[in-house]
Amino acid sequence: MNPQEVQDVPTEDRQDQACAWIARLRSDALSDADRRAFARWIAESPSNRTAFDEMAELWGDLGVLSRLPLDELYPESVPTARHRPSTPAIRHRHSTPTAAVESASDGWNLPQWLMGGSAVAACLGIALWIGNQWLQQAPTQQQMYTTAVGEIRTVDLPDGSRVKLNTNSELIVNFSREERRTKLLRGEAYFDVARQTSRPFTVSAGSANIRVLGTQFNVERNPDNTRVSVTGGTVAVSEARTASGLQPESVKLTRNQKVSVSGSGLSDVGRTSEEEALDWTQGQLVFDETPLNEALEELNRYLKVPAAAAPAVGDRTLSGTFELTDPESTLSAIAAALGLDQDHSDPHLTLLSPKRN
């Protein structure tokens, strides 16, 4: 470890200051002077930024952290240019972290011990205080978004995140001060999540629970499983349910990794690509040695009459790129590529089966 690394490790004083700032930023009495003081303090040193992130993570783990107004105050909490404020934070060369905190603390209606002692103890105390003062009043914003068959829709969420819903999909969004929860009831969605260290973003989809802070990933909910593909950042995927007394399995995915979650647990982590994960956003389906059963699950989102594979051919693999402008023609192309017949005797289901001699 070099001297610079030692210097950048947050001290206990910095952590105490970070705790006090978190409490202050959640106050109704936050003034413009407080905002400027926070901007000066956070810009003083990488150690201040690190201490603030660590304490925000701790508060989040305690489950009582309300949303912080970081979009304006702490640009690093927002990853993409479209979410960042146009005016950068002002730096003051001669201010110090302690002076910045003290200048903003005048008139604070907070116990004086917040500025000293153990950082963890201080945060626990603040957490209880915030819990009584804020979280009991925290409103929950709930919204439902749906798409019809053949429709693709992009939704901008209140936190700056963006969701692209595939055809025949339904998503419920519940935002509160301490968390951002969504539930994919059916279909498929691509999430571009704005980073908020203090307020995790979760997705519930069938057998899978997904938790992120800020990243990009695709969720595909099928009747028998849920598939998660990551195109950027890190995503934690776990089982939604498990046998009594057992700990749910979980796995962390990084860019170009995917996993499937079903009633029988997590599959092995596989490789993917942005082109494969987001093919539907380009009006295509891309298959690479994909079992027919899985290919039909994806295609069924676009078909007026769903299709299924006979047991004898469901494991046959399919490779190629297929256009979605005419889903029925795509089904015919898949059947032809694998040498299969289409059985339309059931008006509610098309069955792909081996050709009769």
Side-chain angles (χ1 to χ4, degrees):
M1 181 178 293
N2 60 44
Q4 181 62 37
E5 291 174 331
V6 173
Q7 182 180 350
D8 285 342
V9 174
T11 64
E12 186 172 295
D13 286 345
R14 283 197 176 96
Q15 291 174 330
D16 291 340
Q17 293 168 15
C19 284
W21 271 121
I22 291 172
R24 184 55 175 168
L25 294 176
R26 292 304 306 134
S27 171
D28 277 335
L30 185 70
S31 67
D32 290 340
D34 295 333
R35 294 172 183 268
R36 290 192 295 271
F38 175 75
R40 292 196 299 269
W41 181 80
I42 206 70
E44 281 290 336
S45 166
S47 296
N48 290 351
R49 297 171 183 264
T50 302
F52 188 86
D53 279 344
E54 287 181 353
M55 292 301 99
E57 290 276 12
L58 173 61
W59 282 45
D61 289 342
L62 290 173
V64 294
L65 180 63
S66 301
R67 181 183 182 275
L68 298 175
L70 299 183
D71 293 358
E72 301 86 6
L73 298 174
Y74 192 24
E76 285 77 6
S77 68
V78 182
T80 56
R82 68 172 182 271
H83 304 315
R84 290 179 180 168
S86 57
T87 304
I90 301 174
R91 291 176 178 262
H92 291 257
R93 295 181 181 178
H94 301 296
S95 61
T96 64
T98 302
V101 174
E102 289 177 350
S103 66
S105 64
D106 294 339
W108 287 23
N109 187 22
L110 292 173
Q112 292 299 313
W113 56 264
L114 292 184
M115 297 305 296
S118 166
V120 174
C123 279
L124 286 170
I126 299 171
L128 294 175
W129 178 73
I130 290 292
N132 291 329
Q133 299 297 320
W134 291 91
L135 297 184
Q136 292 178 358
Q137 312 170 36
T140 298
Q141 305 172 27
Q142 177 170 313
Q143 186 67 49
M144 177 179 289
Y145 303 95
T146 61
T147 54
V149 175
E151 178 189 9
I152 293 178
R153 178 183 179 187
T154 298
V155 178
D156 291 318
L157 300 183
D159 67 330
S161 299
R162 179 169 291 175
V163 181
K164 194 163 192 174
L165 286 177
N166 200 355
T167 178
N168 194 21
S169 299
E170 186 172 2
L171 179 73
I172 294 179
V173 176
N174 286 280
F175 278 11
S176 64
R177 284 175 177 158
E178 67 270 23
E179 62 182 345
R180 299 172 288 171
R181 292 187 294 111
T182 66
K183 186 172 185 177
L184 185 62
L185 299 180
R186 70 172 189 272
E188 185 171 18
Y190 177 68
F191 295 84
D192 184 357
V193 178
R195 182 174 181 82
Q196 290 186 0
T197 306
S198 61
R199 195 163 63 143
F201 190 104
T202 61
V203 183
S204 171
S207 302
N209 283 333
I210 302 140
R211 176 185 168 95
V212 304
L213 293 177
T215 187
Q216 300 84 40
F217 59 99
N218 193 75
V219 181
E220 176 186 344
R221 180 170 180 178
N222 300 305
D224 298 324
N225 59 57
T226 297
R227 299 193 193 99
V228 182
S229 303
V230 179
T231 61
T234 302
V235 174
V237 182
S238 62
E239 295 178 283
R241 295 175 297 275
T242 186
S244 178
L246 297 179
Q247 188 73 16
E249 288 186 275
S250 63
V251 66
K252 283 191 176 180
L253 304 180
T254 58
R255 183 182 179 188
N256 291 338
Q257 288 186 327
K258 64 180 179 180
V259 74
S260 176
V261 189
S262 65
S264 58
L266 293 169
S267 70
D268 292 335
V269 175
R271 299 295 300 172
T272 187
S273 64
E274 185 170 347
E275 291 74 22
E276 180 183 5
L278 301 181
D279 53 2
W280 61 271
T281 67
Q282 305 299 319
Q284 298 176 331
L285 289 179
V286 178
F287 301 122
D288 183 10
E289 296 295 318
T290 304
L292 178 59
N293 282 330
E294 292 185 15
L296 292 180
E297 283 180 348
E298 294 194 39
L299 183 60
N300 278 339
R301 294 196 180 91
Y302 308 89
L303 293 170
K304 294 179 180 178
V305 177
V313 299
D315 291 333
R316 292 191 185 183
T317 58
L318 177 70
S319 296
T321 300
F322 299 87
E323 297 294 329
L324 288 172
T325 52
D326 187 350
E328 282 71 23
S329 295
T330 296
L331 179 62
S332 297
I334 290 174
L338 296 179
L340 303 176
D341 279 334
Q342 298 184 63
D343 182 354
H344 299 284
S345 57
D346 183 343
H348 303 294
L349 180 70
T350 301
L351 184 66
L352 301 188
S353 57
K355 282 185 175 293
R356 298 178 181 177
N357 295 327

